[in-house]
Amino acid sequence: MSADRGSAHRAVAEAPRTRWNGTRTAAAPFGPRDFREALGRFPTGVVAVAARDPRTGRPVGLAANSFTSVSLEPPLVGFCVGRASTSWPALRAASRLAVSILGADQEEASLRLAAKGGDKFAEVPWHESPSGAPVIEGAQAWLECEVDAEHPAGDHVIVVARVHHLAAREGRSPLVYYRSEYRRLDD
């Protein structure tokens, strides 16, 4: 039985692709690579989610490109975190976290926060939000939040957070992620 499943998996992975209007089309069922490539056509902003680890007091954080407004009343935002994230348990345990909306000149900060392990804040300048959560210095905007809800979703967790404080700057271009690369928007 397991040999049949393995053969079926290979058949899915090797599913023929057809052309439609000059684009590559993956036949259903499609694989994770096809799904990632299709979704990569949607440009997203990049945020840093950071807090102080309640156990150590040290800053902990991650980079995310799945960030959205959820509600104006009450003020809620949402972002997704991979279930395998080693940073999320410490972030979740913090009473408040800061979401920094990164600018076009902050690719290095995003890369450092996206890395696995190590001191992610060693070369990332930051200041404290009103409750002490790390805000990335020079961010376009920041929001101090409290986790309101978590919703399991496949290999990720959808986090809904209530905004308590915020600040925004004028005249900055956002850091954009498109087709698996950082991009800049022309003003």
Side-chain angles (χ1 to χ4, degrees), residues 95-109:
S95 61
R96 296 276 173 96
L97 39 98
V99 176
S100 298
I101 300 173
L102 301 181
D105 60 342
Q106 295 182 303
E107 182 177 331
E108 186 62 33

Side-chain angles (χ1 to χ4, degrees), residues 30-46:
F30 51 84
R33 190 183 104 227
D34 295 313
F35 190 53
R36 181 182 206 125
E37 284 181 18
L39 295 179
R41 290 346 190 235
F42 182 71
T44 64
V46 183

Side-chain angles (χ1 to χ4, degrees), residues 51-72:
R52 288 205 181 252
D53 185 327
R55 294 173 299 132
T56 67
R58 297 186 61 182
V60 60
L62 55 84
N65 69 334
S66 56
F67 174 78
T68 190
S69 61
V70 174
S71 168
L72 293 176

Side-chain angles (χ1 to χ4, degrees), residues 41-172:
R41 290 346 190 235
F42 182 71
T44 64
V46 183
V47 300
V49 180
R52 288 205 181 252
D53 185 327
R55 294 173 299 132
T56 67
R58 297 186 61 182
V60 60
L62 55 84
N65 69 334
S66 56
F67 174 78
T68 190
S69 61
V70 174
S71 168
L72 293 176
E73 197 55 47
L76 299 173
V77 295
F79 55 90
C80 296
V81 178
R83 285 183 185 264
S85 171
T86 56
S87 300
W88 180 239
L91 287 165
R92 178 193 309 124
S95 61
R96 296 276 173 96
L97 39 98
V99 176
S100 298
I101 300 173
L102 301 181
D105 60 342
Q106 295 182 303
E107 182 177 331
E108 186 62 33
S110 176
L111 289 169
R112 288 187 181 278
L113 291 168
K116 300 239 185 256
D119 182 359
K120 296 180 181 188
F121 287 85
E123 308 233 357
V124 176
W126 57 278
H127 64 273
E128 293 183 346
S129 71
S131 72
V135 172
I136 305 304
E137 196 66 47
Q140 290 195 109
W142 60 265
L143 312 163
E144 184 182 76
C145 306
E146 174 182 16
V147 174
D148 193 67
E150 292 181 66
H151 305 281
D155 58 0
H156 279 69
V157 174
I158 301 167
V159 179
V160 177
R162 183 178 300 263
V163 179
H164 293 280
H165 297 95
L166 57 82
R169 296 170 48 141
E170 293 292 326
R172 303 284 316 269

